[in-house]
Amino acid sequence: MAKVVTVTEIKEGTVTLSDLCKINALLDMQSDVQRYYLDHPKKKGADAPWT
C-alpha cells in the first residue's frame, strides 16, 4: 500500500525479512508522527513544530 517494495522483490529475495521489519517500523513511526501533528497543531507564532 505504501509502494515501498513489490511482491516480486520479496519473492526474488531482493528484499529480506529484516528489510521488511525495518520498513514496517519506519512506516509505523511515520504514522505516529503524522498522528501527533494532527493531535497537536502548531501554535500561531511558534517557530518549531514541537512547541
Side-chain angles (χ1 to χ4, degrees):
M1 291 171 62
K3 298 183 182 180
V4 178
V5 298
T6 65
V7 173
T8 303
E9 290 172 322
I10 295 168
K11 287 184 176 184
E12 290 175 348
T14 306
V15 178
T16 65
L17 180 57
S18 176
D19 293 333
L20 291 174
C21 289
K22 290 174 187 176
I23 291 167
N24 187 59
L26 289 170
L27 291 172
D28 285 346
M29 182 177 66
Q30 181 182 37
S31 176
D32 291 344
V33 169
Q34 288 173 345
R35 173 54 52 194
Y36 175 85
Y37 284 111
L38 286 174
D39 292 344
H40 301 87
K42 184 177 176 180
K43 298 174 185 172
K44 288 186 179 181
D47 292 333
W50 54 85
T51 58

